Amino acid sequence: MPSGPAPPLPLTSLSSPARRSSAPPRAASRAPALPPPGPSASEEPAAPDPAKMARRSRHRLLLLVLRYLVVALDYHKAYGFSASKDHQVVTAIEYQEVILACKYPKKTISSRLEWKKLGRSVSFVYYQQALQGDFKDRAEMIDFSIRIKNVTRNDAGKYRCEVSAPSEQGQNLEEDTLTLEVLVAPAVPSCEVPSSALRGTVVELRCQDKEGNPAPEYTWFKDGIRLLENPKLGSPSANSSYTMNKKSGTLQFNTVSKLDSGEYSCEARNSVGHRRCPGKRMQVDDLNISGIIAAVVVVALVISVCGLGVCYAQRKGYFSIENVQDDMKKKPPSRRVVLHLKPLQ
């Protein structure tokens, strides 16, 4: 074997495994240290948001209200009472039909139903499975509801249905209250129209109806033509001195003129119907000045003649005392009758 120098070993073979594992890598030794999480000492804490706090308080209040309602409902169920329902208003036209509905969820065989009309005195409408009063002939039952075939204005008022049924907690009572409003068409209104009037005076025409429901509004007609509520919007040649009140039904002429002569009628109208009174004629006349003067002259002449007669009589002495005494002497004395009474023996 040749004896020469040994070849040089690589540099990697000079390091031992233990030494390689203990030495930290160069990249790790150069990386900076990370700060701990959270705000640093130089940063200030963020201020609380008022809007978020208000929302949180509202949410808490809502949760408390819901808990209270749940407790209240459980209390009513345990003792057999029902919560009050919304009050309903039923509208009907007179002489038509209407249904008074009792909003009870379910009808059972053991349920007991009563209908009452409330007011100064409570009266039964449906009691012991039968309609009461005049409802027998013009009403019928549909489950828990009443169907009135011919409703009248006397049926208007407040009604209450009461349904009781046994439950696990005891006797359960349901109530429902409603108001029946009956609409009535107006009757023929009563119209007050003067037959005559003097020109330049104040004249008022009246119209009224007491049966209509809702309360009707009134409209006046002259010679079949509807008068405007605002007369200034009409023809400039027509009289514009009147005032019309559609609520009270009055038609007032501030200074009536001859143009206002004519036939007047009034109509009462509401949402159900309308009626009109028969026409009545009003005649507007001028003040007769010449006739008044002639009457005054005649009265003055009569007074003058009477005064002259009295003066002439005084001059002739008809009213003197001496003439009166002479007249009394000339008259024969009046006969006197004397009765002599004798005492009884």
Side-chain angles (χ1 to χ4, degrees), residues 313-330:
Q314 286 181 350
R315 289 179 182 179
K316 291 294 183 179
Y318 290 111
F319 297 105
S320 63
I321 298 175
E322 295 177 355
N323 292 334
V324 172
Q325 290 177 353
D326 293 341
D327 293 338
M328 292 179 65
K329 289 179 180 180
K330 291 179 181 179

Side-chain angles (χ1 to χ4, degrees), residues 5-15:
L9 297 173
L11 294 175
T12 55
S13 61
L14 297 176
S15 61

Side-chain angles (χ1 to χ4, degrees), residues 205 218-227 244 251 262-269 275-276 279-280:
L205 283 65
Y218 304 94
T219 305
W220 280 95
F221 294 82
K222 177 189 175 184
D223 298 329
I225 301 175
R226 179 175 177 269
L227 294 177
M244 184 190 304
L251 176 65
E263 187 178 78
Y264 288 86
S265 60
C266 173
E267 181 184 82
R269 178 184 293 270
R275 299 291 295 273
R276 187 187 299 189
K280 297 181 181 180

